[in-house]
Each structure stands twice: as C-alpha cells, then as structure tokens.
C-alpha cells in the first residue's frame, strides 16, 4: 500500500545541477512516486543569490538560510550540490543530527572527510549516498559498493574528468597545442574560466580517493593520491605515442599490491595502447575500467559531467534513500575493514617513456644505457634521431619502480652528453 504523506526533500544549491534536480523532481513527480512508494515533495531550496531568475521554480521554495532549512525536523532527505568543504560539511552533519539522510555530489568533501561523514551518518541511523560525486551519470559507486561486494577488486583505471579528456582528444585528433585545445574547451563550456582543478588533476584525484576507498575497503584520503597535471603534454608527446601505437589520457589509477598488503592511488597523464578500451573514449566522455578476480574486466562508460547526467545520478540516489526511509533501514555505509596502507608513489611499478635531448656523437647511447643499468631499470626499446650535432633519444623501459626511474633521470641529467630531459611519461594499460 502506497504511503500518502510525502517524503520531504531539501535542496542545497540551485546551479546547473541543482536546477536540473528540481526540474526532474517536478516534471517526473508521478514516476518518482510510483518508484519510491510515496510522494516526494521539494520542501525548500537554499541558495546564495535569491534574486537570480530560476525558471519553473516557485519563489516560495527559495531561502538563503540553509542551516534553518536542514534543521526543520520534517526534512527526510537533504540533497547537497553546492560543492566545496564549507559550509557543505557543517550542513551535512547538521542534517544527520536532525534525522535526514543525505545525497551529495561533493567529491572534494568526500575525498577529504568521507570517513567522518560516514561515521556521523551511522551514528544517527541515516544514509549518505554520493553516486554523482565520481563520474556523473555513470553508475560506478553502487556497482563497486554493492554489485562487487563479494568479489576482490584489484585495479580501477579510468578517465574521470571530461574537460581533460576533451583537451587531450583534440590534441590527438587535430594536432592542436594545449592552449588551443583548452580555448576550444572553454568556448564550448567544458572548461571553467579557471580550469586549474581539472587540468592539474585535483578533480580526478578526489575521485580517485573515493574510488580507491570503496574498491579496496580501506580509507584513502585526497592527500594519499599522487597527482600530476597535464599542462606539460605536448604535440611531440602525442607523436611519440602514435609511434608506439598509443594515445595519451589523464588517468586515475587505483591498484591493490600484488601481495594484497597495500594499495596505491594516483592521477597523471599516461600513454595507453590504442587496443585498450579506454583509448577510444572521445570528447568529454568518462570511462572507468575495473579489474576484479571473479568478475574479470568491466568497463563503465558515459557522460561524466553536466547538469542532466549528474542530476540523473543524484535522482537515482534519492530514490534509493527514500526507499530506505520507507523501509526503516539504511543502505551500505563505509567499508574500511582491510585498513590497508597507501604506498608512496616511489613504490609504484610501471613502464616509462623518456625523451632525451643528447649530443649526436658516438658513445652517447652506451652512456645512457649504462646509467639505466646502474639503477636497475631495464630498457625495452630505444629510438634515436640525430641532426647537426644534436639528437633525440627516446627510451621505453620495462616495468620499473618510480623511485628507481627518478634516480635514473637525475643521473642522466648529470651526463655532459645529455642536454635535457624533454619529457617523461608513464605507459599504462598493458
């Protein structure tokens, strides 16, 4: 029998995502009621600028007092889409204290303070759901947290930022430089006026922290994630990648160590073979490749940002949380029972592509090879091109630890025959 008293929802934020959440709740009210088993009512919307015109949203729902809204006591679910650490953190914990479950899209807060938020939700017997925090409309958090709960996930490898994927895709397919591709991304609305969070990897690093924590049942914070941006990627890097049968993507990589005793989480540009499924992810799309012991290889693909895709994930969580409310239960909380340490980047083992500017004279290759051997880094292939006394030497290694590679590069810089290190890039997905 369907309950007639509505479940009341407070919406914090009414920007691109929040306004779309409000629109869907209004236009699809009957469908949501049927799926949940009770009506859902948008009881209030907290905003910073109440004077802004918001088409289709009743003015009486708008308030600037977010704290009062979440303290009302009759609110069943709070949807938080304002982002940032504060006031979002305080509002979410206040909502918990007043008996409301929370649906959030706040990747930065969850990566920074997810453990404390989960503990607070558990203390007050409410839900914390955040499918929209990682990859927009792509169902990823729930499959990792629920569908693969009986499996052992060993690796999560993904493109989790649409802006950077758009830029790198344009550089690859059109030959554009970084600045030119960024300008196009900005003009099309894919990049913010200040794109730092995207192009320097902060956005992807927050998502990597969340994914690693869920996948490996351990606590991984933003500070645990090694991060490198993609602003130094050049057309020459793409030319080298093509010669290797690769392309370049900004990847979030979360791995369980071979002995199962630690994990790593990192974000950086990497060459990836054209035969890998992630290589074909174009434009501003996201995709995440999951490797599990029993399930094998799984790939999740779709739009990773934007008002409608993100709102879709928010509404999916809203339906789940409301169903839990009606059943008098809660969904899965934090699972951190493994308590695995996060290894430093120096212990990460992978392949490397190193481009050196060297003097074009006999013996240079032997000198360079000796340095690699002295540091225990095995060379897979070498390519050399020379002209007018200068040369480019491209070395691709077998798998080596990051610390060993870093020591190798420092030793190479001290050779009088090495003019400079043009680029260093990891090779992933093999």
């Amino acid at each position: 029998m369907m309950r007639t008293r509505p479940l009341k929802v407070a919406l914090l934020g009414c920007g691109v995502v929040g306004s779309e959440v409000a629109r869907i709740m209004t236009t699809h009210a009957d469908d949501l009621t049927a799926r949940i088993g009770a009506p859902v009512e948008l009881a209030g919307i907290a905003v910073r600028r109440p004077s802004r015109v918001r088409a289709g949203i009743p003015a009486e729902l708008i308030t600037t007092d977010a704290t009062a809204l979440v303290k009302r006591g009759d609110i069943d679910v709070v949807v938080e889409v304002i982002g940032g650490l504060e006031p979002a953190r305080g509002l979410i914990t206040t909502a918990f204290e007043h008996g409301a479950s929370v649906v959030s899209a706040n990747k930065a807060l969850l990566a920074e303070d997810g453990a404390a938020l989960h503990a607070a939700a558990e203390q007050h017997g409410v839900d914390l759901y955040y499918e929209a925090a990682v990859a927009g409309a792509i169902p990823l958090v729930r499959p990792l947290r629920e569908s693969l709960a009986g499996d052992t996930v060993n690796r999560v490898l993904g493109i989790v930022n649409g802006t950077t994927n758009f830029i790198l895709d344009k550089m690859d397919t059109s030959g554009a430089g970084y600045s030119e591709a960024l300008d196009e991304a900005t003009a099309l609305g894919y990049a913010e006026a200040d794109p730092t969070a995207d192009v320097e990897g902060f956005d992807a690093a927050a998502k990597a922290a969340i994914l690693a924590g869920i996948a490996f049942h351990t606590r991984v914070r933003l500070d645990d994630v090694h991060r490198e941006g993609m602003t130094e990627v050049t057309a020459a890097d793409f030319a080298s990648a093509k010669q290797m049968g690769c392309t370049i993507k900004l990847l979030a990589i979360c791995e369980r160590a071979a002995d199962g005793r630690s994990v790593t989480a990192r974000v950086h540009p990497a060459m990836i073979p054209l035969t890998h499924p992630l290589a074909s992810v174009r434009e501003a799309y996201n995709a995440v490749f999951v490797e599990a012991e029993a399930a094998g290889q799984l790939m999740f693909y779709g739009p990773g940002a934007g008002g409608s895709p993100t709102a879709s994930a928010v509404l999916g969580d809203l339906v789940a949380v409301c169903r839990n409310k009606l059943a008098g239960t809660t969904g899965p909380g934090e699972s951190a029972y493994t308590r695995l340490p996060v290894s430093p980047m120096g212990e990460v083992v992978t392949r490397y592509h190193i481009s050196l500017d060297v003097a074009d004279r006999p013996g240079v290759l032997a000198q360079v090879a000796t340095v690699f051997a002295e540091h225990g880094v095995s060379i897979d292939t070498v390519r050399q091109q020379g002209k007018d006394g200068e040369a480019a030497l491209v070395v691709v290694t077998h798998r080596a630890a990051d610390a060993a590679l870093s020591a190798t590069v420092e030793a190479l810089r001290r050779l009088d025959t090495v003019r400079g290190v043009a680029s260093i890039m990891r090779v992933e997905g093999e």
Side-chain angles (χ1 to χ4, degrees), residues 37-53:
V40 285
E41 175 187 320
L42 192 54
I45 305 173
V47 300
R48 286 185 297 174
R49 292 182 288 274
S51 59
R52 177 182 294 177
V53 176

Side-chain angles (χ1 to χ4, degrees), residues 48 126 143 193 238 254 311 340 400 404:
R48 286 185 297 174
V126 293
F238 274 102
C254 311
L340 295 174

Side-chain angles (χ1 to χ4, degrees), residues 134-192:
V134 176
I138 304 172
L140 186 58
V141 170
R142 196 168 294 134
L144 283 173
R145 192 163 65 172
E146 299 178 30
S147 303
L148 295 173
D151 207 339
T152 298
V153 176
N154 290 320
R155 196 176 197 218
V156 179
L157 173 75
I159 299 164
V160 295
N161 183 277
T163 299
T164 55
N165 200 56
F166 180 90
I167 292 170
L168 292 172
D169 183 49
K170 289 301 175 185
M171 293 176 69
D172 184 26
T173 57
S174 70
Y178 168 76
S179 296
E180 183 182 354
L182 174 59
D183 288 343
E184 184 175 354
T186 304
L188 292 172
Y190 292 129
E192 301 287 344

Side-chain angles (χ1 to χ4, degrees), residues 351-400:
R351 297 181 68 203
Y352 291 85
H353 175 283
I354 305 102
S355 181
L356 305 171
D357 295 326
V358 300
D360 188 14
R361 62 175 189 251
V364 172
L365 179 56
Q367 280 187 315
V368 169
T370 297
V371 170
F372 276 87
E374 288 174 346
H375 290 84
V377 179
S378 176
I379 294 176
D380 182 19
T381 62
V382 178
R383 187 176 70 255
Q384 184 172 6
Q385 295 176 325
K387 183 179 180 182
D388 299 329
E390 298 296 328
L393 191 65
V394 177
V395 178
V396 179
T397 74
H398 288 289
R399 291 174 64 81

